[in-house]
Amino acid sequence: MAAGISSKHGLLSNKTSLYRALHRRISPGSVCLQRAARVQSARAASSATTDSQTYCMELVRSRDYDGYVSSLLLPEEARRSSLALRAFNVELAQAGEGLRFPEDHWFDANAVLEGGHRGNLQRRASEPAGQCRAVEGKYRPADGGTFNRRRAVRKHYLTKRWLLRIITEREKDLDDRAYRNLQELETYSENTQSSLIYLLLECLGLKNVHADHAASHIGKAQGIVTCLRATPHHGSRRKVYLPMDVCMLHGASQEDFIRGSREQNVRDVVYDIASQAHVHLQHARSFSNNVPKAANLAFLQTVVLEDYLQRVRRADFDIFHPSLKNRNPLVPFQLYLRSWKKSY
């Protein structure tokens, strides 16, 4: 019995030793395979991230150059998020030019918060098949585009409401009509441009009521200036979006802007609209003493707005003047100088 027990224990001992020996032989290979898989996965993720960042950067640089330069002056983490948000904003702004929002499938609020995008945009027949539509994420042709803002949203705890306001307001671009009055243009600018600035402030880790007030006025000024700057381009496509009440006040018709008229009544319309943008800039700067210095990096667009308003004033409010077609080459330097001074 004792011998049997001894033999049995010896057998178990041998099996255990054999198992351990085999495990030592196999385990290193398995670990290597696991490590290789992890490295490959990490490289794939890194490549996808790099591709999405490059896409965002190129899109913003080509369609929102001033925003692109402003983003480069931000700290690294805020810069990446800023480019993602600006690319997202550009995508939505282009919706009326080559895309349409399907009536039967609107944006999923939870998808927006998580950075997802579920078939929200559909290509028109005229748009090249397979055109990339993505922000900080992967493009899936079947979905018509994926806006993946997950990293920016989670990194900075971005407020869902500002994203939804931009989306909802941009949908109105598809109505393709002029603003009824200046207040309507200001509301649109608040919901789009100001909301974007609120998000940029959050990317900088700032929550300040005075900064929010300044952001509201800067966003309105930016929306008004953008409307003015785009008028020659829109006119070439036989479209006019300037506030109708201001045009009617000075007896200027939409056809005047389509023809590129440089008559006094057209200049008067531009003067009134540009003056309102200037008023908003003054209001924004009235909060400067109470706004944290770090917030000024989110307000660098004031340099671009001020530059355009000065140039249109020198052109005697002739919005079709040739000098307004060219970008001021000194603006990037002015943006850098303003960021260094931490002022707006």
Side-chain angles (χ1 to χ4, degrees), residues 27-61:
S27 182
S30 300
V31 170
C32 288
L33 290 175
Q34 292 172 1
R35 287 177 179 174
R38 284 198 296 268
V39 169
Q40 185 176 3
S41 177
R43 286 177 179 174
S46 176
S47 176
T49 301
T50 302
D51 290 344
S52 64
Q53 290 173 3
T54 301
Y55 169 76
C56 291
M57 183 176 292
E58 292 302 321
L59 178 62
V60 176
R61 182 165 58 181

Side-chain angles (χ1 to χ4, degrees), residues 46-220:
S46 176
S47 176
T49 301
T50 302
D51 290 344
S52 64
Q53 290 173 3
T54 301
Y55 169 76
C56 291
M57 183 176 292
E58 292 302 321
L59 178 62
V60 176
R61 182 165 58 181
S62 62
R63 298 304 300 265
D64 180 14
Y65 182 78
D66 298 325
Y68 166 75
V69 176
S70 299
S71 297
L72 295 182
L73 297 171
L74 299 176
E76 183 178 357
E77 285 298 333
R79 182 193 316 139
R80 295 174 63 180
S81 299
S82 174
L83 289 171
L85 291 170
R86 289 187 182 280
F88 169 65
N89 190 52
V90 169
E91 290 270 5
L92 293 178
Q94 292 179 144
E97 298 178 9
L99 299 171
R100 65 181 177 87
F101 294 101
E103 298 177 359
D104 59 344
H105 192 100
W106 184 228
F107 281 80
D108 185 318
N110 292 323
V112 171
L113 180 61
E114 291 300 320
H117 188 282
R118 303 176 183 176
N120 307 48
L121 297 176
Q122 292 182 351
R123 289 191 302 272
R124 285 179 179 171
S126 60
E127 185 179 8
Q131 185 169 343
C132 185
R133 297 290 175 194
V135 172
E136 285 285 4
K138 297 181 180 179
Y139 170 62
R140 294 184 305 208
D143 288 344
T146 300
F147 290 117
N148 190 344
R149 296 165 305 282
R150 184 177 294 110
R151 186 178 185 282
V153 170
R154 292 182 175 177
K155 177 70 177 178
H156 307 288
Y157 301 97
L158 299 183
T159 302
K160 172 182 176 181
R161 178 178 52 178
W162 306 134
L163 289 167
L164 294 178
R165 273 177 57 170
I166 295 174
I167 293 168
T168 303
E169 199 66 28
R170 286 295 188 186
E171 182 190 17
K172 297 178 182 178
D173 284 341
L174 303 184
D175 294 340
D176 205 24
R177 61 176 177 81
Y179 299 100
R180 290 173 295 182
N181 48 56
L182 194 52
Q183 290 69 34
E184 192 173 88
L185 173 56
E186 288 176 326
T187 299
Y188 176 83
S189 303
E190 163 69 26
N191 291 335
T192 54
Q193 301 296 347
S194 298
S195 294
L196 180 61
I197 301 177
Y198 298 148
L199 291 168
L200 293 180
L201 286 172
E202 292 184 350
C203 289
L204 292 168
L206 295 168
K207 289 185 182 294
N208 179 275
V209 64
H210 300 293
D212 288 344
H213 285 315
S216 175
H217 287 290
I218 292 172
K220 289 175 182 176

